[in-house]
Amino acid sequence: MKLSARNILKGKVKKIVVGAVNSEVFLELPGGVVVTSIVTKDAVESLGLKEGKEAYAVIKASSVMLAVDH
């Protein structure tokens, strides 16, 4: 796999919550951090995502905003 995205995080699918149209996929990274992605049910099926399977979170964004409470 070769991508232009700079942020590619490898992990294991921890949990999948299937909805009517979309599914929430929880990807556990090394160290225990969990990244959640919302994708279509078709994407879950076509990628063969299942709990325990390795997958990648690919993050491509032109900007990331940060905020703090005052």
Side-chain angles (χ1 to χ4, degrees), residues 1-41:
M1 171 177 53
K2 191 169 186 176
L3 299 170
S4 64
R6 299 249 185 237
N7 302 298
I8 301 172
L9 309 171
K10 185 177 181 179
K12 285 192 179 184
V13 177
K14 182 174 184 172
K15 180 179 177 183
I16 299 173
V17 177
V18 179
V21 176
N22 293 324
S23 296
E24 286 180 276
V25 180
F26 297 85
L27 188 68
E28 186 171 18
L29 307 178
V33 173
V34 177
V35 175
T36 305
S37 179
I38 297 174
V39 297
T40 63
K41 286 171 57 175

Side-chain angles (χ1 to χ4, degrees), residues 38-65:
I38 297 174
V39 297
T40 63
K41 286 171 57 175
D42 289 343
V44 169
E45 195 173 301
S46 68
L47 292 170
L49 295 175
K50 304 237 182 274
E51 289 183 18
K53 182 173 181 173
E54 287 189 341
Y56 297 87
V58 180
I59 302 160
K60 175 111 178 168
S62 58
S63 64
V64 176
M65 293 184 274

